[in-house]
């Protein structure tokens, strides 16, 4: 026989894809359970979202929760980084290096601890790392897989982990194919679609296959399509500023010493103090998106959040924390959109649809920070699943902002921070 009793390579690859998809869903479930446990413990609440927990907690708890959680995460990273390397996810996969399963898994849980206690970092980094570690462990026995096949599988695991925690199967698949692998090859795209779909199906035990954000019941007019395009220049400016601030804040070398503990505790203290006035700030940014969609932000609050969210994110980065940049940039864009629409409504007496313009801003900024406008529009649409025609609004803002960046690319070359960097 041609294969001497062993399954052909394409069959091994298919089996690996299925295994990776299921385990990515398990990674999403695990990190979500830990995140919720930490949130409930930090802010002492039993039911509801993190926003309701922060809002209902005492002023002292709002301050101590993120400070203590950040200090504990700092202790964990101090011990971990002294004993082992924690290399960046995308670079390790692209260079076909050995996967540090234990260090990535521990690092992922420390990220969840930090974000769950209120740090202004994304939660999406943890399931991506954990999914890649589990996927590598479970498929290591498949000997016929090529180095490129393993690269595809690990990238698919990362995207599927993202898809599982946010219930965004298409965005999770495109994250793997376009942002991690930068390819449209049918083998990679097919694997990404299958792994992300399986992971979201497993993760539905928690997400119930419901959108991560609740789209409000109400009418929105097709005229907001024009406002989506007009948001593009603002999204470009906010996205470039976000990239610049994050690049300036990120340490040149990973912080390993004991200074991690007081630095992160101090960042948590600053977050807790800010949360006394703006309870939407703690966490990855979902609270900001939730309030924006509910039209619950005032103009002054939206302006304050637009300024503070990236600064607090930069503070945690500078202190040595690890986490995703996706949702903080998304929340910053939503705050920018809210500022614009609330200012127009206040100045003219108009009644522009706040949720639509807010999410348009989110899509535009995400297109700048991630460099993929189509993926940004799909991700934002899948998060809330509004009427399908609104995808065009998000796409107009995202492609408009990205197109402007391309036109200005010769003069404006900020250091791009996307998820491939970490």
């Amino acid at each position: 026989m041609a294969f001497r009793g062993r399954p052909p390579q394409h069959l091994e690859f298919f089996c690996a894809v299925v295994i990776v998809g299921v385990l990515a869903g398990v990674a999403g479930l695990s990190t979500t359970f830990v995140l919720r446990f930490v949130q409930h413990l930090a802010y002492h609440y039993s039911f509801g979202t993190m926003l309701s927990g922060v809002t209902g907690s005492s002023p002292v708890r709002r301050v101590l929760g993120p400070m203590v959680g950040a200090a504990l995460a700092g202790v964990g990273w101090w011990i971990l980084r002294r004993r082992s390397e924690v290399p960046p996810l995308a670079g390790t996969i692209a260079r076909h290096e050995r996967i540090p399963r234990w260090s990535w898994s521990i690092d992922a849980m420390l990220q969840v601890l930090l974000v769950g206690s209120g740090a202004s970092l994304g939660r999406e980094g943890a399931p991506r790392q954990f999914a890649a570690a589990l996927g590598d462990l479970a498929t290591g026995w498949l000997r016929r897989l090529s180095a490129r096949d393993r690269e595809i599988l690990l990238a698919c695991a990362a995207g599927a982990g993202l898809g599982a925690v946010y219930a965004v199967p298409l965005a999770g698949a495109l994250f793997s194919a376009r942002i991690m692998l930068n390819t449209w090859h049918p083998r990679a795209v097919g694997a990404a679609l299958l792994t992300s779909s399986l992971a979201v199906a497993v993760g539905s035990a928690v997400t119930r296959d419901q959108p991560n954000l609740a789209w409000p019941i109400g009418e929105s007019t097709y005229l907001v399509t024009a406002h989506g395009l007009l948001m593009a220049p603002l999204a470009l400016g906010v996205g470039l500023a976000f990239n610049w601030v994050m690049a300036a804040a990120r340490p040149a070398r990973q912080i390993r010493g004991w200074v991690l503990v007081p630095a992160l505790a101090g960042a948590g203290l600053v977050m807790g103090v800010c949360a006394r006035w703006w309870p939407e700030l703690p966490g990855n940014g979902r609270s900001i998106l939730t309030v924006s969609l509910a039209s619950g932000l005032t103009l002054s609050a939206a302006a304050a959040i637009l300024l503070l969210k990236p600064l607090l994110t930069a503070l945690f980065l500078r202190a040595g924390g690890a986490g995703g940049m996706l949702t903080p940039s998304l929340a910053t864009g939503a705050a920018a959109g809210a500022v614009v629409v609330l200012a127009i409504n206040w100045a003219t007496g108009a009644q522009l649809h706040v949720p639509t313009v807010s999410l348009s801003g989110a899509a535009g900024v995400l297109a700048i920070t991630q460099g993929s406008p189509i993926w940004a529009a799909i991700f934002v649409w899948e998060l809330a699943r509004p009427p399908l025609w609104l995808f065009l609004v998000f796409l107009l803002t995202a492609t408009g902002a990205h197109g402007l960046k391309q036109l200005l690319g010769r003069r404006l070359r900020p250091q791009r921070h996307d998820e491939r960097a970490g």
Side-chain angles (χ1 to χ4, degrees):
M1 294 181 64
F3 297 100
R4 298 184 181 179
R6 296 183 67 182
Q9 183 178 354
H10 68 271
L11 182 58
E12 280 200 359
F13 183 73
F14 176 78
C15 293
V17 166
V18 173
I19 292 170
V20 165
V22 173
L23 290 179
V26 172
L29 284 175
S30 303
T31 55
T32 299
F33 280 130
V34 175
L35 180 81
R36 292 184 177 180
F37 174 78
V38 173
Q39 289 173 343
H40 288 273
L41 186 63
Y43 296 100
H44 194 58
Y45 68 103
S46 300
F47 301 100
T49 63
M50 184 178 188
L51 178 59
S52 63
V54 176
T55 303
S57 64
S58 67
V60 173
R61 192 130 198 150
R62 287 193 199 186
V63 173
L64 291 181
M67 185 176 71
V68 173
L72 291 175
V75 172
W77 271 313
W78 178 28
I79 297 172
L80 174 65
R81 293 174 185 176
R82 288 177 61 194
R83 299 187 177 189
S84 61
E85 291 286 335
V86 187
L89 175 72
T92 303
I93 293 174
R95 292 188 294 268
H96 302 165
E97 296 176 352
R98 185 184 65 84
I99 301 302
R101 298 167 185 167
W102 281 108
S103 62
W104 271 6
S105 300
I106 296 171
D107 182 73
M109 292 308 166
L110 292 173
Q111 290 183 41
V112 173
L113 170 60
L114 187 65
V115 176
S117 59
S120 182
L121 291 167
R123 59 174 288 202
E124 66 279 354
R128 293 204 320 264
Q129 281 187 197
F130 194 31
L134 290 178
D136 181 70
L137 175 65
T139 60
W141 58 277
L142 297 172
R143 301 302 180 187
R144 290 187 178 273
L145 297 178
S146 66
R148 178 59 175 171
D149 285 343
R150 294 193 180 279
E151 180 184 358
I152 291 173
L153 287 170
L154 292 172
C156 287
L162 169 71
V165 295
Y166 291 121
V168 290
L170 186 55
L174 289 180
F175 183 91
S176 300
R178 293 301 302 150
I179 294 181
M180 293 290 294
L181 296 169
N182 192 27
T183 183
W184 285 113
H185 193 282
R187 187 179 181 86
V189 173
L193 287 169
L194 182 54
T195 52
S196 186
S197 299
L198 286 171
V200 171
V202 174
S204 65
V206 170
T207 64
R208 308 297 181 189
D209 200 27
Q210 295 298 313
N212 203 259
L213 301 172
W215 184 256
I217 298 175
E219 294 293 329
S220 55
T221 172
Y222 288 91
L223 293 176
V224 299
T225 304
H227 295 93
L229 188 58
L230 292 174
M231 277 293 300
L234 175 65
L236 172 65
V238 173
L240 291 175
F242 187 92
N243 279 347
W244 182 84
V245 171
M246 297 309 122
R250 186 176 293 278
R253 304 176 70 178
Q254 195 175 67
I255 300 176
R256 298 173 178 273
W258 62 269
V259 72
L260 270 167
V261 181
L264 284 172
L269 175 62
V270 174
M271 169 59 79
V273 172
C274 292
R276 292 193 61 183
W277 290 276
W278 299 282
E280 301 87 359
L281 285 171
N284 64 344
R286 181 185 176 184
S287 299
I288 296 171
L289 292 162
T290 299
V291 177
S292 297
L293 263 61
S295 301
L297 285 176
T298 63
L299 180 56
S300 60
I305 289 171
L306 174 60
L307 177 65
L308 289 172
K309 189 62 179 177
L311 291 179
L312 288 169
T313 305
L315 178 62
F316 279 99
L317 277 182
R318 192 66 179 176
M325 293 292 103
L326 194 156
T327 40
S329 66
L330 193 73
T332 302
V339 168
V340 169
V341 68
L342 291 172
I344 292 174
N345 287 350
W346 174 78
T348 66
Q351 295 296 321
L352 296 181
H353 199 239
V354 175
T356 299
V357 181
S358 181
L359 282 191
S360 295
V365 171
L366 195 60
I368 298 301
T369 60
Q370 301 300 306
S372 181
I374 296 176
W375 175 82
I378 290 174
F379 181 72
V380 170
W381 185 86
E382 278 194 303
L383 276 178
R385 300 180 201 172
L388 185 59
W389 69 269
L390 286 174
F391 171 72
L392 176 62
V393 181
F394 305 151
L395 185 62
L396 280 174
T397 305
T399 54
H402 188 261
L404 288 174
K405 182 185 178 184
Q406 295 296 98
L407 289 174
L408 299 175
R410 293 181 180 272
R411 298 180 180 179
L412 298 174
R413 292 185 180 277
Q415 181 177 346
R416 172 181 164 193
H417 178 89
D418 60 25
E419 294 303 318
R420 288 179 289 179

